[in-house]
Amino acid sequence: MNINQNQICTFVKIKISKMNENTIKNFSTQLIQSVENKEFVKCTLGKISSSAKDLQNIYIKAIELKSNVMLSFTFRYARRDEVKNFSLSEANDYMLQALGNEIFAADLFTTSKNYFLKFNKKRIAQIIEQKATFSQIVNLQHDKLKKRYISTENNIYLQRLEIVGNNGQILKNKEDKFKQINKFIEIIDSLIKDISFENEIKIIDMGSGKGYLTFAVYDYLKNNLGLNVKIKGIETQEKLVEICNSIAKDSQFENLSFEQSNISNFNETDIDILISLHACDTATDDTLYQGIKSNARLIVSSPCCHKQIRGQMNKSKKLMQINKFGILLERQAEIITDAIRAHLLELQGYKTNIFEFISAEYTGKNLLIVATKTATEIKTMEIKSKIEELKSLFGIDFHYLEKLLEENENDQSWRNLNPVCHTH
Ligand SMILES: C[S@@+](CC[C@H](N)C(=O)[O-])C[C@H]1O[C@@H](n2cnc3c(N)ncnc32)[C@H](O)[C@@H]1O
């Protein structure tokens, strides 16, 4: 596998001496063999060089996925975690590439021995072996002990939405959905801690559908964290709106409501937090636009089906050799659409990040755009030229969100809600 394409941080390859190479290989072999021999307990990678952004450490555990033993890497950043599951050979590739490049310490615990890979001041690698600390391996069942943000017991809305049965057990075909929602809330939980709200927090879920996310966010923020929230789900389908409002009433969620509306027609401009999970195609752009217009403090949106620029990219002759393959065109369209979205958000004063919020085994639509309003200077010209470069490279005439912002450029009144500094 080419690890650079799949892993989270990419490493600048530095020359590693033959001696170090052998030591690193030995260490990685001990790790892989301990998993194969069912002796692996855990491994932690640390002493990460500053070039790996805010990555602090990596925790590795063994998991069983569809009867295959894999290694699950949790990349711990300052304010979030990202999880990637690797086959044993992918994990081996990763270790060989990362150790001695940007990672300079690794602690491996097995039931037969502990192994500590260390680098001295001259960056010479050494393995120190010690008596095993652990005598038993941990249960390989994936995510069994993971924290749940939403309680499934006596949970009216989860029962009515048919995520759990009467006994509180998650229904077999709803496990993936439950995981997505749980993870989404975990992320909101970590983001919301950095924002101080004085009054009631107004949250809008755009394209709320059956309301899985809307109910869970309300339940967590209101009932678990005790926050003063008012949440509204916006959805075009009348039937879904009706059902959700009836479930909200039965759950006694007084500050939660659902409204039949098209996202593009929504005209409230006092949103504090805007969320959306898989609003289709340009509905995600309408969503981001609503957040921008409201000067929302936080926008958390997982996009879905990126069709809008696909037709334009197809015509781009420069990339014909790639785009003649449908799937490659589709993947590129996703990447370019979201990259331009991120730049457009930055242009509006949002610090923006895009990452996989959950493993692709639970949903292929696993990218999350997180945009936080900042008061820092906006490098307007620089960002605009980056957007133009991207559009020109991929033969794109227009991006839907860009159009929305341009069309409303004359009406700048919404910008003054919370002025930010623009430079030219
Ligand atoms: C893929 S579903 C996701 C539903 C929900 N967010 C979830 O993750 O369970 C997308 C939902 O967005 C709604 N939707 C799509 N475009 C919309 C628009 N322009 N305005 C309002 N709702 C929209 C659809 O009716 C659908 O219910």
Side-chain angles (χ1 to χ4, degrees):
M1 156 181 117
N2 180 353
I3 208 95
N4 276 339
Q5 286 170 5
N6 287 328
Q7 112 208 17
I8 289 170
C9 49
T10 51
F11 297 101
V12 180
K13 193 88 181 143
I14 57 165
K15 202 164 163 38
I16 295 181
S17 71
K18 194 78 202 152
M19 199 168 76
N20 269 5
E21 209 177 300
N22 288 338
T23 313
I24 290 165
K25 256 189 206 156
N26 278 346
F27 184 86
S28 190
T29 306
Q30 290 296 354
L31 186 148
I32 302 301
Q33 281 182 353
S34 71
V35 181
E36 287 168 346
N37 298 339
K38 299 194 169 43
E39 291 178 346
F40 175 86
V41 179
K42 63 176 179 173
C43 181
T44 313
L45 311 183
K47 291 209 173 144
I48 295 174
S49 82
S50 54
S51 57
K53 301 220 178 91
D54 59 344
L55 180 62
Q56 300 190 322
N57 63 33
I58 300 167
Y59 176 75
I60 307 170
K61 65 177 180 176
I63 55 166
E64 203 171 271
L65 274 182
K66 299 184 175 118
S67 313
N68 292 320
V69 176
M70 299 185 80
L71 286 170
S72 173
F73 284 54
T74 302
F75 293 79
R76 290 187 169 144
Y77 292 88
R79 286 168 49 193
R80 65 193 162 85
D81 288 351
E82 285 181 36
V83 178
K84 277 264 165 186
N85 298 329
F86 291 145
S87 69
L88 297 190
S89 87
E90 287 169 344
N92 187 43
D93 286 351
Y94 180 86
M95 301 298 274
L96 298 184
Q97 191 178 328
L99 294 173
N101 254 322
E102 289 197 354
I103 294 177
F104 295 96
D107 300 346
L108 167 64
F109 296 88
T110 78
T111 50
S112 62
K113 265 183 192 167
N114 299 340
Y115 301 89
F116 302 105
L117 177 72
K118 297 195 180 299
F119 290 79
N120 67 15
K121 283 188 182 144
K122 290 184 179 160
R123 294 264 160 103
I124 296 171
Q126 182 195 6
I127 299 174
I128 298 165
E129 295 185 12
Q130 276 180 5
K131 206 168 138 243
T133 311
F134 299 95
S135 56
Q136 276 189 331
I137 61 166
V138 285
N139 188 338
L140 293 190
Q141 281 301 306
H142 189 26
D143 286 345
K144 213 169 193 173
L145 300 174
K146 267 217 169 146
K147 179 173 174 183
R148 276 186 186 170
Y149 284 79
I150 295 300
S151 165
T152 52
E153 270 173 44
N154 302 322
N155 185 319
I156 296 172
Y157 66 88
L158 285 182
Q159 281 183 25
R160 294 275 302 276
L161 294 171
E162 296 175 340
I163 297 264
V164 301
N166 292 337
N167 53 5
Q169 279 285 76
I170 300 168
L171 299 177
K172 260 239 145 336
N173 57 347
K174 289 293 164 57
E175 283 168 353
D176 287 358
K177 193 78 198 170
F178 184 76
K179 283 229 163 65
Q180 284 178 53
I181 293 163
N182 209 49
K183 193 69 201 177
F184 204 105
I185 289 174
E186 184 183 333
I187 290 165
I188 297 219
D189 178 61
S190 71
L191 292 166
I192 211 166
K193 283 186 181 130
D194 293 336
I195 307 174
S196 58
F197 296 96
E198 279 158 21
N199 304 314
E200 184 183 70
I201 310 168
K202 181 165 170 184
I203 303 176
I204 305 290
D205 179 8
M206 295 291 190
S208 50
K210 287 188 176 165
Y212 301 126
L213 178 68
T214 343
F215 280 100
V217 170
Y218 181 90
D219 191 15
Y220 183 71
L221 297 183
K222 178 91 183 164
N223 301 329
N224 290 39
L225 297 189
L227 294 176
N228 180 11
V229 289
K230 183 171 191 167
I231 304 191
K232 199 187 270 184
I234 301 301
E235 169 58 49
T236 41
Q237 297 184 54
E238 191 179 358
K239 191 80 205 145
L240 294 181
V241 171
E242 248 172 50
I243 295 170
C244 287
N245 274 327
S246 132
I247 300 175
K249 194 165 168 229
D250 294 349
S251 305
Q252 295 181 339
F253 288 173
E254 284 154 17
N255 269 350
L256 172 66
S257 62
F258 294 82
E259 185 179 305
Q260 190 202 4
S261 170
N262 194 306
I263 299 167
S264 56
N265 297 335
F266 189 72
N267 56 16
E268 293 174 24
T269 52
D270 53 350
I271 308 167
D272 295 303
I273 300 177
L274 190 139
I275 56 174
S276 79
L277 182 58
H278 304 153
C280 326
D281 194 20
T282 51
T284 291
D285 296 303
D286 286 321
T287 295
L288 300 178
Y289 178 63
Q290 290 289 352
I292 291 168
K293 229 170 45 156
S294 259
N295 257 309
R297 308 274 297 276
L298 179 66
I299 300 174
V300 187
S301 172
S302 177
C304 173
C305 51
H306 305 64
K307 296 193 193 109
Q308 187 256 314
I309 64 165
R310 211 184 293 170
Q312 302 172 43
M313 287 175 64
N314 208 1
K315 290 180 219 136
S316 162
K317 289 210 174 64
K318 284 186 224 161
L319 297 166
M320 204 53 192
Q321 296 315 315
I322 301 174
N323 292 345
K324 66 180 181 179
F325 302 105
I327 183 67
L328 298 186
L329 174 67
E330 195 176 315
R331 298 243 169 111
Q332 269 197 87
E334 285 175 23
I335 293 169
I336 311 309
T337 304
D338 290 333
I340 295 179
R341 281 172 176 157
H343 283 103
L344 289 168
L345 282 160
E346 279 172 4
L347 200 53
Q348 302 298 329
Y350 284 87
K351 184 170 175 281
T352 308
N353 197 3
I354 301 182
F355 56 91
E356 287 188 344
F357 75 103
I358 194 160
S359 163
E361 85 203 68
Y362 302 116
T363 172
K365 302 170 194 167
N366 64 348
L367 283 193
L368 197 65
I369 300 174
V370 173
T372 317
K373 190 85 190 177
T374 65
T376 49
E377 184 184 69
I378 303 167
K379 297 192 170 122
T380 309
M381 294 311 283
E382 199 181 301
I383 302 171
K384 277 190 172 170
S385 97
K386 281 184 193 161
I387 295 171
E388 284 314 312
E389 266 175 44
L390 267 176
K391 281 164 56 191
S392 145
L393 179 64
F394 291 94
I396 297 160
D397 298 330
F398 74 97
H399 185 291
Y400 188 84
L401 177 58
E402 188 184 29
K403 267 270 174 288
L404 288 175
L405 291 165
E406 272 170 15
E407 277 169 14
N408 286 277
E409 213 158 56
N410 294 333
D411 173 19
Q412 293 278 317
S413 54
W414 46 274
R415 274 190 196 282
N416 300 328
L417 294 171
N418 179 11
V420 284
C421 173
H422 280 255
T423 55
H424 292 277

